[in-house]
Amino acid sequence: MKKVTTSAPGKLMLFGEHAVVYNHPCIVTAVNERMYTTIELLETQEFLLEAPDVKVLDYKKNIKELGNGEIPKDAQFVEVTVKNVFEKYNLSHGIKVITKSDFSSEFGFGSSSASTVCIIKALSELFELHLSNKELFDISYKTVLDIQKKGSGFDVASAIFGGTLYFVTGGKTIEPLSTSSIPLIVGYSGVKADTVALINSVKEFSSKNPQLVEGVYNSIEIIVNKAKEEIENKNWEQVGILMRENQKLLQSLGVSIQKLDDMISSSIAAGAYGAKLSGAGGGDCIIALAPAEKNKDVYSAIQKVEGKILHASTNAKGVRLEL
Ligand code: PMV
């Protein structure tokens, strides 16, 4: 039977998290650690899922039941994605989906959004839907919102377009930056962040302190716009300084934690130009930028406070068919 494999990159938020949920811009880069999906057409009317990385094995359903009943958390994104595409394009066919990832779903690299994008791209190919990247974005973003209820869609855009993007909420602007690889150092905290819980906690803080938070978001926007220019000019020292400023503003929203703060301050003490958390906060990763000759010192400094170095290169290619 016909089968197709697609892959999409993970991502790292460089600047602008949280503000981007509320109509401000952010900058996101795609990383070379990828998510892979293979979809095979079946003779039966079944939906089968194998996602060994998240321990979903032999998951099975009639395709008429997609989206109904109890869905295990780790099968949710795949199942709801297939359901949304089938409904929108009036499709009905048994399929087997196999997902595989280069990276752990614990890192906060966006495994759920990358798998949603991979699946839609694979279905577009199998059923000859000829979806444009914008159509791919719209249906992927709808799926993420169906499940998470909240989010800007930056992770979906990164998985589709790849590279390094200047992105505004809901895809109002998706602009590729002209840059090659960014020499980022990535430190993993070992703590899994709950993105939706953090978005909610910022929302609650904002409802009590609306002016303060609006001021923070406006300051973040100014940083994002400066960072866009400095990244394109490869002025890493200035980018590092902007990272420090962005981090201070994120701290004022209450989303950083001690472990992240420790990794960030140790990186800077070891010679990094700057460092910040990447993503929702509460855990996941920090990113740092340092002069090449200081990289080893920064690695050791992060490890000393029990962070783990992840080797991920940036500006990776977006979703694609694998032969
Ligand atoms: O936790 P992550 O890596 O998915 O990043 C979340 C970033 C937010 O701005 C807090 C949410 C969003 O969807 O933009």
Side-chain angles (χ1 to χ4, degrees):
M1 273 308 250
K2 219 168 144 189
K3 100 179 171 185
V4 161
T5 299
T6 53
S7 76
K11 56 85 184 112
L12 280 166
M13 178 71 99
L14 299 183
F15 289 94
E17 46 274 89
H18 288 289
V20 68
V21 180
Y22 302 98
N23 281 314
H24 296 274
C26 74
I27 300 174
V28 55
T29 193
V31 296
N32 66 344
E33 306 278 297
R34 302 180 78 82
M35 171 65 95
Y36 297 83
T37 297
T38 300
I39 304 189
E40 192 178 340
L41 295 180
L42 300 178
E43 305 276 5
T44 62
Q45 290 297 294
E46 277 173 320
F47 166 73
L48 307 181
L49 173 61
E50 302 282 344
D53 295 323
V54 288
K55 304 202 168 42
V56 175
L57 301 167
D58 290 327
Y59 181 71
K60 195 181 285 195
K61 219 165 194 178
N62 188 290
I63 53 159
K64 296 212 169 53
E65 293 301 318
L66 284 176
N68 297 341
E70 273 288 297
I71 307 174
K73 197 174 157 282
D74 289 314
Q76 237 178 10
F77 270 91
V78 177
E79 184 169 333
V80 176
T81 302
V82 173
K83 173 179 172 270
N84 281 347
V85 175
F86 276 19
E87 271 175 15
K88 187 167 167 81
Y89 299 100
N90 220 353
L91 301 170
S92 172
H93 206 293
I95 56 169
K96 177 173 182 179
V97 180
I98 304 167
T99 66
K100 190 178 142 312
S101 177
D102 283 340
F103 57 90
S104 160
S105 62
E106 305 282 298
F107 293 165
F109 279 4
S111 50
S112 308
S113 43
S115 67
T116 294
V117 166
C118 278
I119 288 164
I120 301 177
K121 180 76 178 173
L123 292 175
S124 170
E125 196 61 25
L126 279 170
F127 295 103
E128 295 176 17
L129 303 174
H130 307 291
L131 298 181
S132 67
N133 278 348
K134 182 68 174 87
E135 287 168 312
L136 194 53
F137 176 82
D138 288 341
I139 184 155
S140 303
Y141 184 43
K142 176 194 177 324
T143 304
V144 171
L145 288 182
D146 283 350
I147 298 169
Q148 285 188 180
K149 313 291 175 224
K150 311 226 157 98
S152 63
F154 82 105
D155 40 6
V156 170
S158 178
I160 294 171
F161 294 91
T164 301
L165 301 175
Y166 178 86
F167 175 90
V168 181
T169 326
K172 285 188 198 86
T173 304
I174 303 178
E175 187 189 325
L177 300 200
S178 61
T179 179
S180 50
S181 188
I182 303 165
L184 277 188
I185 296 169
V186 184
Y188 175 54
S189 67
V191 182
K192 173 91 187 108
D194 182 340
T195 302
V196 175
L198 282 147
I199 295 177
N200 287 337
S201 83
V202 171
K203 191 168 178 211
E204 200 186 319
F205 180 65
S206 165
S207 69
K208 290 180 189 144
N209 307 278
Q211 275 160 353
L212 187 154
V213 173
E214 199 41 51
V216 170
Y217 289 163
N218 289 333
S219 304
I220 290 178
E221 176 159 347
I222 294 170
I223 291 172
V224 170
N225 288 329
K226 282 189 195 158
K228 177 176 183 260
E229 222 171 277
E230 301 298 359
I231 290 171
E232 291 193 312
N233 292 333
K234 296 191 173 50
N235 193 348
W236 306 132
E237 184 168 359
Q238 280 309 314
V239 176
I241 290 166
L242 292 166
M243 280 179 167
R244 297 186 198 206
E245 289 176 16
N246 196 160
Q247 173 63 15
K248 272 192 212 132
L249 293 162
L250 288 164
Q251 278 170 329
S252 75
L253 294 176
V255 295
S256 201
I257 56 169
Q258 194 60 48
K259 182 74 184 272
L260 296 172
D261 290 344
D262 289 347
M263 291 199 289
I264 290 165
S265 52
S266 308
S267 302
I268 293 170
Y273 296 131
K276 64 181 276 295
L277 65 82
S278 173
D284 288 348
C285 291
I286 65 132
I287 49 174
L289 260 180
E293 67 276 12
K294 292 283 181 192
N295 276 0
K296 281 206 177 118
D297 294 343
V298 176
Y299 292 164
S300 311
I302 291 174
Q303 283 159 342
K304 225 178 200 156
V305 292
E306 277 155 42
K308 185 177 173 214
I309 301 298
L310 302 181
H311 294 280
S313 64
T314 60
N315 217 38
K317 290 261 182 298
V319 68
R320 66 179 178 219
L321 290 176
E322 297 285 327
L323 295 172

